[in-house]
Amino acid sequence: MSEQLAGTMIGNPAKANQRDLVRVNNLVKYFPVHGGLMQRVKAWVQAVDNVSFVVKEGETLGLVGESGCGKTTVGRAMLRLIEPTSGEVNFDGQNVLALRGRELKAMRRNMQIIFQDPYASLDPRIPVGESISEGLRIHGIGSPQERHTIVMDTLKKVGLEAYHSRRYPHEFSGGQRQRIGIARALALQPKFIVADEPVSALDVSIQSQVLNILKDLQQEFHLTYLFIAHNLSVVEHISDRVAVMYLGKIVELADRFELFKNPLHPYTKALMSAIPIPDPTIKRERIILQGDVPSPLNPPKGCRFHPRCPVAIDICSQKEPPLTVNSKDHHAACWLVK
């Protein structure tokens, strides 16, 4: 990762002097494809390829892109829910990928995740109160009575009542289940939370409630979020900075106001053109991308977006553009961006 990118601070001026809580450096995750009689490795799916970014303490970094671009893989690899192929993830000064045993267990207490599907992430056989307290038991936090008190307090903070702890996941609506997922992540009082599309499966009216809960909890507990989503309107609402991914790589990174006001990368411009405007008198020119997303099994040479890019030039198909930064701390990986 370049020194320029490693030291950048884009976003809320109030956070400008805050330290780096998470540094991701050249993160790579390839998944093997097996085939043949001996089930040998025939190819590699390049899900995440050389991704670098910084998350400042107390901020929300939005990570957006099309389905299959590697957003969720980045979040899970950072927490070692899946093991990265290579790279570094430094959390609070420690290399997460070098930790083992008790050190890794202790680190996990500070790094939690909110899953996209709240129902699939909860055990249907046990009451939700036990699901929330499971992490407390694993880390040996408090007595049974103290853990019960923590669970009750946490449920209230996400808008649920104490009696909900005795119910099972199937007895809740989708929005309530996602609140339970938030409570489970919050119970251990982490510093950093990966929110993996936490509102994509919810109705619009419920989405706003959950987003407001996340923002209120961030203020109260000084949380830091990596917010993964494909809905740019949601990302604009909650994020301080936004990183745009395409086919396993970050192609643009900027303060949310700067990004939405002046997108530089052609892919980001195409995404922005698809955002609905709640005013029928205003017309936006829609950028329709041609073709399909290339396979991560065999990504294009050079810029991975060039087969679909409406402004591609010769060098785009020959050489990969670096993630450069302009005077406004706006990063973009495009040969046409000066």
Side-chain angles (χ1 to χ4, degrees):
M1 180 171 60
S2 68
E3 291 299 321
Q4 243 177 349
L5 179 57
T8 189
M9 177 55 213
I10 316 169
N12 190 334
K15 297 183 173 69
N17 296 322
Q18 291 187 325
R19 64 191 178 93
D20 298 341
L21 183 65
V22 182
R23 283 175 171 263
V24 177
N25 187 12
N26 300 325
L27 186 66
V28 175
K29 178 57 184 177
Y30 291 176
F31 292 97
V33 177
H34 299 275
L37 184 62
M38 304 298 292
Q39 287 296 297
R40 292 174 177 161
V41 176
K42 308 287 287 186
W44 294 89
V45 176
Q46 300 179 28
V48 176
D49 193 7
N50 202 31
V51 165
S52 300
F53 58 87
V54 172
V55 188
K56 291 285 182 179
E57 186 177 36
E59 79 164 346
T60 299
L61 175 66
L63 188 60
V64 301
E66 292 175 286
S67 296
C69 71
K71 307 183 299 295
T72 294
T73 304
V74 167
R76 296 194 176 201
M78 289 172 65
L79 303 184
R80 289 185 63 182
L81 297 179
I82 55 176
E83 289 293 332
T85 303
S86 63
E88 291 183 1
V89 178
N90 288 291
F91 173 78
D92 211 8
Q94 287 186 288
N95 184 5
V96 176
L97 306 188
L99 299 179
R100 297 291 185 273
R102 293 182 179 179
E103 290 181 334
L104 178 59
K105 181 180 177 181
M107 180 63 70
R108 289 191 187 281
R109 179 178 175 180
N110 291 314
M111 304 174 73
Q112 293 291 302
I113 185 170
I114 301 169
F115 293 99
Q116 178 180 358
D117 187 344
Y119 188 67
S121 64
L122 294 170
D123 190 335
R125 301 168 297 177
I126 62 176
V128 298
E130 292 187 29
S131 291
I132 296 171
S133 67
E134 186 175 13
L136 300 172
R137 293 196 306 272
I138 290 173
H139 288 275
I141 299 172
S143 64
Q145 183 57 45
E146 288 171 335
R147 290 196 290 266
H148 175 78
T149 301
I150 293 173
V151 170
M152 298 302 107
D153 290 343
T154 307
L155 282 172
K156 290 180 181 179
K157 290 186 183 299
V158 299
L160 296 175
E161 299 297 332
Y163 65 84
H164 286 130
S165 66
R166 299 187 296 273
R167 293 185 177 180
Y168 291 82
H170 71 273
E171 299 180 78
F172 295 93
S173 67
Q176 288 176 319
R177 285 197 287 260
Q178 195 57 281
R179 291 170 189 246
I180 294 166
I182 295 171
R184 185 174 56 178
L186 190 66
L188 289 170
Q189 298 183 342
K191 297 179 181 178
F192 175 65
I193 293 178
V194 174
D196 183 11
E197 302 203 36
V199 297
S200 63
L202 306 179
D203 294 337
V204 175
S205 59
I206 306 300
Q207 286 184 11
S208 61
Q209 296 175 19
V210 173
L211 290 174
N212 288 333
I213 287 173
L214 289 172
K215 293 184 76 172
D216 291 343
L217 292 173
Q218 184 176 39
Q219 293 294 323
E220 183 175 355
F221 296 102
H222 309 290
L223 296 171
T224 303
Y225 293 139
L226 175 67
F227 191 91
I228 299 170
H230 59 262
N231 187 328
L232 285 169
S233 298
V234 169
V235 170
E236 183 180 18
H237 174 72
I238 198 171
S239 300
D240 296 300
R241 292 185 300 144
V242 180
V244 181
M245 281 193 72
Y246 183 81
L247 205 62
K249 288 185 174 291
I250 290 180
V251 297
E252 191 159 1
L253 173 64
D255 169 82
R256 64 163 173 168
F257 298 111
E258 170 65 18
L259 185 79
F260 282 83
K261 178 182 177 181
N262 182 34
L264 299 179
H265 197 279
Y267 176 62
T268 310
K269 292 179 181 179
L271 292 180
M272 297 292 186
S273 74
I275 300 176
I277 300 176
D279 187 342
T281 63
I282 300 177
K283 293 185 178 181
R284 173 180 283 161
E285 182 180 354
R286 181 72 192 276
I287 301 174
I288 306 296
L289 298 178
Q290 303 298 318
D292 298 323
V293 180
S295 170
L297 277 169
N298 186 26
K301 183 182 177 182
C303 175
R304 296 189 175 188
F305 183 62
H306 86 264
R308 306 174 69 197
C309 182
V311 294
I313 56 179
D314 289 342
I315 193 174
C316 298
S317 61
Q318 301 167 8
K319 190 175 179 182
E320 182 180 335
L323 193 64
T324 56
V325 59
N326 65 16
S327 59
K328 295 183 179 180
D329 286 335
H330 191 151
H331 301 76
C334 179
W335 289 115
L336 297 176
V337 174
K338 304 298 183 182

